[in-house]
Amino acid sequence: MLNKIVGWLVLVPLCLVLIVFALANRQFVIVNFNPFAPVEQLATPGYGVPLFVVLYIVLLVGVLLGGIATWFAQGQHRQRERHWRREAHMLNTELESLRKSQGQSPAGGPLSDVDDLLELR
């Protein structure tokens, strides 16, 4: 429910602002990656790109670089999660083998709630 509210109150107006921005900035600009290019070369006619396309591409590259940086920063958390999942699986397997050796049913017993919680992940 909260996701829908956030979507309607934040994302929809943001999309509308981006659309209005794109419509207002349709003029062509020259994109140059050489900061040492002489001014005369920049003034020569050539191919241009709409300004909103340049800004959207910069925004997209920023989002992608931010996502990649976050993914690398969270690598240790994912590694710990994998470790604890393996440990939980190993302990669950050991618990089942102990129950079988003692003749208890795997579904019964006081620890079945713990097994259910482990299986939820």
Side-chain angles (χ1 to χ4, degrees), residues 17-32:
V17 167
L18 288 175
I19 291 170
V20 169
F21 177 80
L23 291 173
N25 292 290
R26 292 176 289 174
Q27 68 268 20
F28 286 96
V29 294
I30 298 172
V31 179
N32 186 10

PDB file of all heavy atoms in Angstrom, residues 17-32:
ATOM      1  N   VAL A  17       7.361  16.098 -14.609  1.00  0.00           N
ATOM      2  CA  VAL A  17       8.372  17.147 -14.662  1.00  0.00           C
ATOM      3  C   VAL A  17       9.427  16.811 -15.715  1.00  0.00           C
ATOM      4  O   VAL A  17       9.857  17.684 -16.477  1.00  0.00           O
ATOM      5  CB  VAL A  17       9.014  17.355 -13.268  1.00  0.00           C
ATOM      6  CG1 VAL A  17      10.272  18.193 -13.348  1.00  0.00           C
ATOM      7  CG2 VAL A  17       8.015  17.988 -12.323  1.00  0.00           C
ATOM      8  N   LEU A  18       9.848  15.549 -15.790  1.00  0.00           N
ATOM      9  CA  LEU A  18      10.843  15.153 -16.791  1.00  0.00           C
ATOM     10  C   LEU A  18      10.299  15.295 -18.207  1.00  0.00           C
ATOM     11  O   LEU A  18      11.023  15.693 -19.125  1.00  0.00           O
ATOM     12  CB  LEU A  18      11.310  13.726 -16.538  1.00  0.00           C
ATOM     13  CG  LEU A  18      12.200  13.535 -15.312  1.00  0.00           C
ATOM     14  CD1 LEU A  18      12.499  12.060 -15.100  1.00  0.00           C
ATOM     15  CD2 LEU A  18      13.472  14.328 -15.438  1.00  0.00           C
ATOM     16  N   ILE A  19       9.036  14.995 -18.412  1.00  0.00           N
ATOM     17  CA  ILE A  19       8.427  15.149 -19.739  1.00  0.00           C
ATOM     18  C   ILE A  19       8.348  16.618 -20.121  1.00  0.00           C
ATOM     19  O   ILE A  19       8.694  17.009 -21.248  1.00  0.00           O
ATOM     20  CB  ILE A  19       7.041  14.475 -19.778  1.00  0.00           C
ATOM     21  CG1 ILE A  19       7.203  12.954 -19.705  1.00  0.00           C
ATOM     22  CG2 ILE A  19       6.264  14.884 -21.025  1.00  0.00           C
ATOM     23  CD1 ILE A  19       5.908  12.204 -19.503  1.00  0.00           C
ATOM     24  N   VAL A  20       7.923  17.460 -19.184  1.00  0.00           N
ATOM     25  CA  VAL A  20       7.856  18.899 -19.454  1.00  0.00           C
ATOM     26  C   VAL A  20       9.257  19.446 -19.728  1.00  0.00           C
ATOM     27  O   VAL A  20       9.459  20.268 -20.624  1.00  0.00           O
ATOM     28  CB  VAL A  20       7.179  19.634 -18.273  1.00  0.00           C
ATOM     29  CG1 VAL A  20       7.326  21.136 -18.400  1.00  0.00           C
ATOM     30  CG2 VAL A  20       5.718  19.239 -18.197  1.00  0.00           C
ATOM     31  N   PHE A  21      10.245  18.973 -18.971  1.00  0.00           N
ATOM     32  CA  PHE A  21      11.630  19.398 -19.186  1.00  0.00           C
ATOM     33  C   PHE A  21      12.100  19.012 -20.585  1.00  0.00           C
ATOM     34  O   PHE A  21      12.750  19.808 -21.267  1.00  0.00           O
ATOM     35  CB  PHE A  21      12.528  18.761 -18.129  1.00  0.00           C
ATOM     36  CG  PHE A  21      13.975  19.065 -18.309  1.00  0.00           C
ATOM     37  CD1 PHE A  21      14.494  20.272 -17.884  1.00  0.00           C
ATOM     38  CD2 PHE A  21      14.816  18.151 -18.920  1.00  0.00           C
ATOM     39  CE1 PHE A  21      15.839  20.563 -18.059  1.00  0.00           C
ATOM     40  CE2 PHE A  21      16.153  18.427 -19.098  1.00  0.00           C
ATOM     41  CZ  PHE A  21      16.664  19.639 -18.670  1.00  0.00           C
ATOM     42  N   ALA A  22      11.778  17.804 -21.013  1.00  0.00           N
ATOM     43  CA  ALA A  22      12.194  17.356 -22.345  1.00  0.00           C
ATOM     44  C   ALA A  22      11.537  18.200 -23.438  1.00  0.00           C
ATOM     45  O   ALA A  22      12.171  18.543 -24.438  1.00  0.00           O
ATOM     46  CB  ALA A  22      11.847  15.884 -22.530  1.00  0.00           C
ATOM     47  N   LEU A  23      10.270  18.545 -23.255  1.00  0.00           N
ATOM     48  CA  LEU A  23       9.587  19.352 -24.260  1.00  0.00           C
ATOM     49  C   LEU A  23      10.120  20.783 -24.299  1.00  0.00           C
ATOM     50  O   LEU A  23      10.149  21.417 -25.361  1.00  0.00           O
ATOM     51  CB  LEU A  23       8.082  19.352 -23.995  1.00  0.00           C
ATOM     52  CG  LEU A  23       7.383  18.010 -24.230  1.00  0.00           C
ATOM     53  CD1 LEU A  23       5.931  18.089 -23.783  1.00  0.00           C
ATOM     54  CD2 LEU A  23       7.490  17.598 -25.678  1.00  0.00           C
ATOM     55  N   ALA A  24      10.567  21.297 -23.178  1.00  0.00           N
ATOM     56  CA  ALA A  24      11.060  22.673 -23.122  1.00  0.00           C
ATOM     57  C   ALA A  24      12.502  22.795 -23.600  1.00  0.00           C
ATOM     58  O   ALA A  24      12.945  23.892 -23.920  1.00  0.00           O
ATOM     59  CB  ALA A  24      10.942  23.192 -21.688  1.00  0.00           C
ATOM     60  N   ASN A  25      13.254  21.705 -23.637  1.00  0.00           N
ATOM     61  CA  ASN A  25      14.678  21.761 -23.998  1.00  0.00           C
ATOM     62  C   ASN A  25      14.963  20.908 -25.229  1.00  0.00           C
ATOM     63  O   ASN A  25      15.770  19.990 -25.186  1.00  0.00           O
ATOM     64  CB  ASN A  25      15.536  21.285 -22.816  1.00  0.00           C
ATOM     65  CG  ASN A  25      15.470  22.239 -21.672  1.00  0.00           C
ATOM     66  OD1 ASN A  25      15.998  23.328 -21.747  1.00  0.00           O
ATOM     67  ND2 ASN A  25      14.799  21.824 -20.615  1.00  0.00           N
ATOM     68  N   ARG A  26      14.330  21.260 -26.327  1.00  0.00           N
ATOM     69  CA  ARG A  26      14.520  20.514 -27.566  1.00  0.00           C
ATOM     70  C   ARG A  26      15.587  21.108 -28.456  1.00  0.00           C
ATOM     71  O   ARG A  26      15.896  20.568 -29.507  1.00  0.00           O
ATOM     72  CB  ARG A  26      13.207  20.447 -28.341  1.00  0.00           C
ATOM     73  CG  ARG A  26      12.156  19.599 -27.645  1.00  0.00           C
ATOM     74  CD  ARG A  26      10.885  19.658 -28.392  1.00  0.00           C
ATOM     75  NE  ARG A  26      10.341  21.014 -28.188  1.00  0.00           N
ATOM     76  CZ  ARG A  26       9.269  21.499 -28.776  1.00  0.00           C
ATOM     77  NH1 ARG A  26       8.614  20.765 -29.620  1.00  0.00           N
ATOM     78  NH2 ARG A  26       8.856  22.709 -28.537  1.00  0.00           N
ATOM     79  N   GLN A  27      16.189  22.236 -28.073  1.00  0.00           N
ATOM     80  CA  GLN A  27      17.203  22.845 -28.920  1.00  0.00           C
ATOM     81  C   GLN A  27      18.428  21.943 -29.006  1.00  0.00           C
ATOM     82  O   GLN A  27      18.733  21.206 -28.086  1.00  0.00           O
ATOM     83  CB  GLN A  27      17.582  24.245 -28.420  1.00  0.00           C
ATOM     84  CG  GLN A  27      18.309  24.276 -27.098  1.00  0.00           C
ATOM     85  CD  GLN A  27      17.391  24.430 -25.903  1.00  0.00           C
ATOM     86  OE1 GLN A  27      16.211  24.158 -25.990  1.00  0.00           O
ATOM     87  NE2 GLN A  27      17.944  24.855 -24.796  1.00  0.00           N
ATOM     88  N   PHE A  28      19.109  22.034 -30.127  1.00  0.00           N
ATOM     89  CA  PHE A  28      20.275  21.199 -30.366  1.00  0.00           C
ATOM     90  C   PHE A  28      21.509  21.835 -29.740  1.00  0.00           C
ATOM     91  O   PHE A  28      21.704  23.049 -29.786  1.00  0.00           O
ATOM     92  CB  PHE A  28      20.499  20.999 -31.866  1.00  0.00           C
ATOM     93  CG  PHE A  28      19.491  20.052 -32.467  1.00  0.00           C
ATOM     94  CD1 PHE A  28      18.362  20.527 -33.096  1.00  0.00           C
ATOM     95  CD2 PHE A  28      19.698  18.687 -32.397  1.00  0.00           C
ATOM     96  CE1 PHE A  28      17.435  19.664 -33.648  1.00  0.00           C
ATOM     97  CE2 PHE A  28      18.784  17.809 -32.942  1.00  0.00           C
ATOM     98  CZ  PHE A  28      17.648  18.303 -33.566  1.00  0.00           C
ATOM     99  N   VAL A  29      22.344  20.984 -29.162  1.00  0.00           N
ATOM    100  CA  VAL A  29      23.619  21.424 -28.590  1.00  0.00           C
ATOM    101  C   VAL A  29      24.718  20.553 -29.178  1.00  0.00           C
ATOM    102  O   VAL A  29      24.482  19.430 -29.611  1.00  0.00           O
ATOM    103  CB  VAL A  29      23.633  21.320 -27.043  1.00  0.00           C
ATOM    104  CG1 VAL A  29      22.643  22.282 -26.425  1.00  0.00           C
ATOM    105  CG2 VAL A  29      23.354  19.909 -26.585  1.00  0.00           C
ATOM    106  N   ILE A  30      25.919  21.085 -29.183  1.00  0.00           N
ATOM    107  CA  ILE A  30      27.074  20.336 -29.672  1.00  0.00           C
ATOM    108  C   ILE A  30      27.755  19.711 -28.459  1.00  0.00           C
ATOM    109  O   ILE A  30      28.069  20.399 -27.486  1.00  0.00           O
ATOM    110  CB  ILE A  30      28.040  21.252 -30.432  1.00  0.00           C
ATOM    111  CG1 ILE A  30      27.339  21.841 -31.661  1.00  0.00           C
ATOM    112  CG2 ILE A  30      29.294  20.506 -30.833  1.00  0.00           C
ATOM    113  CD1 ILE A  30      28.142  22.905 -32.365  1.00  0.00           C
ATOM    114  N   VAL A  31      27.962  18.419 -28.515  1.00  0.00           N
ATOM    115  CA  VAL A  31      28.608  17.706 -27.427  1.00  0.00           C
ATOM    116  C   VAL A  31      30.062  17.496 -27.803  1.00  0.00           C
ATOM    117  O   VAL A  31      30.376  16.985 -28.875  1.00  0.00           O
ATOM    118  CB  VAL A  31      27.920  16.339 -27.175  1.00  0.00           C
ATOM    119  CG1 VAL A  31      28.617  15.590 -26.064  1.00  0.00           C
ATOM    120  CG2 VAL A  31      26.458  16.548 -26.844  1.00  0.00           C
ATOM    121  N   ASN A  32      30.949  17.912 -26.919  1.00  0.00           N
ATOM    122  CA  ASN A  32      32.374  17.793 -27.178  1.00  0.00           C
ATOM    123  C   ASN A  32      33.051  17.281 -25.904  1.00  0.00           C
ATOM    124  O   ASN A  32      32.826  17.814 -24.825  1.00  0.00           O
ATOM    125  CB  ASN A  32      32.955  19.152 -27.586  1.00  0.00           C
ATOM    126  CG  ASN A  32      34.393  19.057 -27.998  1.00  0.00           C
ATOM    127  OD1 ASN A  32      34.930  17.968 -28.159  1.00  0.00           O
ATOM    128  ND2 ASN A  32      35.014  20.204 -28.185  1.00  0.00           N
TER     129      ASN A  32
END
